[in-house]
Amino acid sequence: MDSVILKWDATQHSKNAAGHCACGTKGIYYRRWEGKYYCASCFARQVETRFRKTVSANKLVRKGERVAVALSGGKDSAALLYLLNELRKHMPFTLVAVSADEGITGYRDASLEKAEELTKMLGVEHHTASFAEAFAVTTDDIEKKHCTYCGVFRRYLLNKKAHELGADKLAVGHNLDDEAQSILMNFFRGDIARFHRLGAKPASGGDGFVPRIKPLRDIPEKETALYALVRNLPFSGSECPHSFDNLRRDVQAMVNGLEAKYPGTKMQIVSFYDRLKPSLTAARKEAIAHCAQCGEPSSGGVCKACELLGKVRSAKFL
Ligand code: SF4
């Protein structure tokens, strides 16, 4: 384990070998915006404290609730499931893990194996919903704009499955980096409706919508990865073969560049959004209706999943 952490860390922070944690132990991680070194156990404790703070400040989970965790098998959702499972030692609520199989050859199979391994290790019930079964189409079948279609279909399917399982909340593994990127992406697209729906938990749920919560949204991506390593969690580190060309990737490169030059940029973006959101909420009230085709919740006449499915099924895409 140590060699894995030090190897990971050496690529990120070459100064670590010289630094020591406040407890006196040799540091394995240097947090730039704080200018502090952390040993493995102080780092893990600190991540756990921040996670609990996000959960409690935003009232993300309540006693007796049933929480579904969107489990991809990657580092973020692995850390999320582990942290929520630990939280159950202090608060009674039930957990269930839900995975989507988008049908991406050589990528999703491997991560679903890790998801299965983790849920067995933690003793958490695990369900998988596949694109092939639900839509008779897979992400590999789509010829272009994979992420646009895949993202909409996955959200639809995870919500549907969580609803069927009687979940009160759907926890997703969005970290600080994801949240900062989503804020800027919606800003660049001028998408006020989606911009308004960001945050640790949604402004509103609605009939058929399982409210999505983001307990990791104050923890940077590199820290969720290190936490999963420190806690020896099984996760897949492979990258989706379709992710090479999308707006998120460009925004990610831009934000990472700014963070390297101005440490703390990601936190500032998210904090700015949080301060702005109350005035947006006051100005906006969304009506929730149901899709005219599939009956699932939707804010318009036909939901986005049915709209995109119609396009995918046309000869143009298949
Ligand atoms: Fe789907 Fe895009 Fe994510 Fe790949 S990167 S799993 S295509 S949303």
Side-chain angles (χ1 to χ4, degrees):
M1 185 75 249
D2 280 352
S3 62
V4 176
I5 296 170
L6 290 171
K7 186 176 164 210
W8 181 88
D9 194 57
T11 62
Q12 305 289 324
H13 306 286
S14 57
K15 287 189 286 180
N16 277 9
H20 283 76
C21 181
C23 73
T25 313
K26 194 172 171 184
I28 60 141
Y29 177 63
Y30 178 68
R31 189 176 280 145
R32 281 189 68 207
W33 77 85
E34 282 182 347
K36 286 184 188 169
Y37 293 92
Y38 287 88
C39 69
S41 72
C42 288
F43 167 78
R45 265 203 309 278
Q46 215 264 348
V47 166
E48 284 155 7
T49 302
R50 203 139 27 108
F51 161 81
R52 285 197 298 270
K53 209 169 151 188
T54 303
V55 170
S56 110
N58 297 285
K59 299 183 174 60
L60 298 187
V61 180
R62 293 177 188 275
K63 280 182 191 169
E65 281 188 335
R66 182 164 168 81
V67 178
V69 177
L71 184 66
S72 68
K75 63 189 184 333
D76 299 312
S77 59
L80 175 63
L81 185 66
Y82 178 85
L83 285 161
L84 282 168
N85 197 45
E86 286 295 295
L87 190 64
R88 291 166 73 201
K89 292 175 184 166
H90 310 282
M91 190 203 286
F93 66 97
T94 55
L95 264 185
V96 59
V98 188
S99 300
D101 181 356
E102 301 93 340
I104 303 172
T105 312
Y107 166 67
R108 191 48 88 207
D109 298 350
S111 62
L112 286 177
E113 269 177 34
K114 294 291 180 188
E116 191 59 27
E117 195 182 329
L118 179 65
T119 50
K120 279 202 177 119
M121 184 178 121
L122 301 177
V124 173
E125 184 185 323
H126 183 211
H127 298 261
T128 300
S130 83
F131 279 23
E133 270 178 36
F135 308 120
V137 79
T138 68
T139 295
D140 279 346
D141 293 331
I142 298 165
E143 284 186 1
K144 55 186 179 182
K145 293 186 178 175
H146 292 91
C147 293
T148 303
Y149 290 83
C150 181
V152 169
F153 293 163
R154 188 177 49 230
R155 271 194 300 278
Y156 174 97
L157 205 50
L158 288 174
N159 181 75
K160 194 164 185 278
K161 194 75 190 170
H163 190 240
E164 283 167 11
L165 291 167
D168 299 295
K169 304 273 171 60
L170 175 62
V172 294
H174 288 217
N175 56 47
L176 180 79
D177 295 48
D178 296 324
E179 191 73 347
Q181 290 157 22
S182 296
I183 291 165
L184 292 182
M185 283 167 67
N186 286 312
F187 177 73
F188 293 151
R189 286 174 173 147
D191 192 334
I192 292 176
R194 283 203 187 157
F195 188 77
H196 180 254
R197 288 202 290 265
L198 298 172
K201 70 176 177 185
S204 63
D207 187 19
F209 270 126
V210 180
R212 279 158 46 106
I213 55 170
K214 300 176 191 169
L216 301 184
R217 57 102 72 173
D218 296 317
I219 302 173
E221 184 174 14
K222 67 168 68 167
E223 296 194 10
T224 60
L226 184 55
Y227 182 78
L229 284 171
V230 167
R231 289 291 181 229
N232 274 316
L233 306 181
F235 68 88
S236 169
S238 60
E239 200 174 350
C240 174
H242 301 303
S243 72
F244 58 90
D245 186 22
N246 59 36
L247 176 62
R248 182 171 289 276
R249 213 171 159 96
D250 292 340
V251 171
Q252 179 186 42
M254 183 190 81
V255 176
N256 283 346
L258 288 170
E259 179 74 33
K261 199 168 175 186
Y262 310 106
T265 295
K266 292 170 188 172
M267 283 198 304
Q268 292 293 2
I269 293 169
V270 171
S271 157
F272 173 74
Y273 176 83
D274 286 348
R275 281 178 279 139
L276 182 68
K277 188 160 178 179
S279 38
L280 284 173
T281 304
R284 190 175 177 85
K285 292 270 177 249
E286 272 186 285
I288 302 295
H290 288 86
C291 173
Q293 286 182 16
C294 71
E296 287 295 303
S298 163
S299 50
V302 174
C303 74
K304 195 75 184 163
C306 284
E307 182 196 321
L308 292 179
L309 205 51
K311 287 187 187 176
V312 168
R313 284 177 176 152
S314 73
K316 201 166 137 194
F317 284 92
L318 290 176

